[in-house]
Amino acid sequence: MTSVAPPSLAERSHPLTIDGSADGGGRAVLRARGELVQGCDAVLAEALAELPARTGRVELDMAGVIFMDTAGRQFLDTLRDYGQQHLIPVSATNWHGQPRRILELIGLDTSDPLRPVDPNPPVLPSPAPLPSPVSLERAEQLHELREEIEHLRRAIASRPVIDQARGILMATHSCTSDEAWHILREASQLSNTKLHTVAAAITCGAESGGPPPPGEVREALRQALARRGR
């Protein structure tokens, strides 16, 4: 079983591939190779969809991944969602090089970034300015990397409340995890409200005595649910 990512980001020369195998005990081992960029979450989803129905554990070996940008967030979300939907343990291990450095900088466990996020991530020191052109170029690259890391950190920090909101929608409206995700996204777009804000409003409203979501969020949720026959 081999899945290959479509070309992206100026036709990168090392598209991501995922090879997999499953043993008789229900353990599946997937091996990722290449560059983890936009679109690679779909490659992972395809590889996961091809696993046997009896699979009881998924281990993703990242040793062959040589580059990762902010698309790594959705890639890890895809693996996490698969484990939650099938109620099985999943892991992503053997990170090396630049991908491992990104995990270190944002405070994730480099042995398995799907573990809980460190509540006190390390603060990156400001680089000392150097006059040479090479140093200026490196400083610009570091700035871009910090922006990618910050986007990834914010997305990971908001993940728990989004997962809670999806669970509430699944329990309340008898929908699947994927349907709940699309309902949240549609409600966010219809109300012009950030996704994590919509999720937080749903979570707070589900608590005993909690405030109901704002009117625009309630109306957007109603429309999103109606579109999916809920």
Side-chain angles (χ1 to χ4, degrees):
M1 174 181 69
T2 302
S3 301
V4 182
S8 60
L9 292 184
E11 299 291 328
R12 287 190 178 276
S13 59
H14 300 90
L16 190 80
T17 62
I18 299 179
D19 300 322
S21 62
D23 59 25
R27 171 175 168 265
V29 178
L30 303 179
R31 291 170 294 276
R33 297 183 180 87
E35 298 179 341
L36 205 171
V37 295
Q38 187 68 31
C40 290
D41 56 310
V43 179
L44 176 59
E46 180 182 348
L48 294 171
E50 294 178 3
L51 293 176
R54 67 179 182 278
T55 300
R57 179 182 184 87
V58 178
E59 298 176 3
L60 181 58
D61 187 341
M62 303 296 291
V65 176
I66 59 176
F67 174 85
M68 179 176 74
D69 63 12
T70 54
R73 173 188 60 81
Q74 186 62 37
F75 187 87
L76 291 174
D77 284 351
T78 298
L79 181 57
R80 180 188 291 108
D81 289 348
Y82 181 88
Q84 293 176 347
Q85 292 170 14
H86 294 78
L87 301 179
I88 62 174
V90 295
S91 61
T93 59
N94 293 334
W95 297 78
H96 299 285
Q98 184 261 5
R100 180 186 177 93
R101 180 56 178 159
I102 288 183
L103 297 180
E104 291 175 343
L105 290 173
I106 61 179
L108 291 179
D109 188 337
T110 54
S111 64
D112 185 359
L114 295 179
R115 293 178 181 173
V117 182
D118 184 351
N120 298 304
V123 178
L124 299 178
S126 299
L130 297 174
S132 70
V134 173
S135 298
L136 292 175
E137 181 179 358
R138 288 179 178 175
E140 181 178 356
Q141 292 174 346
L142 181 58
H143 175 71
E144 293 176 354
L145 180 59
R146 282 178 170 170
E147 289 185 341
E148 291 183 359
I149 291 170
E150 184 59 28
H151 287 313
L152 190 56
R153 180 186 290 126
R154 287 199 298 265
I156 292 173
S158 65
R159 185 71 191 185
V161 71
I162 292 176
D163 286 340
Q164 292 175 26
R166 289 170 71 179
I168 292 170
L169 290 175
M170 291 167 63
T172 305
H173 300 285
S174 300
C175 59
T176 66
S177 179
D178 284 343
E179 288 174 332
W181 169 251
H182 288 297
I183 290 169
L184 281 174
R185 289 189 61 186
E186 287 185 19
S188 172
Q189 294 169 356
L190 290 171
S191 62
N192 194 27
T193 306
K194 291 184 178 179
L195 181 63
H196 75 269
T197 302
V198 174
I202 293 174
T203 303
C204 291
E207 296 177 354
S208 177
E216 64 274 13
V217 174
R218 291 200 306 271
E219 176 60 21
L221 282 170
R222 185 191 66 78
Q223 295 182 36
L225 288 165
R227 290 181 180 181
R228 298 184 175 274
R230 300 293 174 182

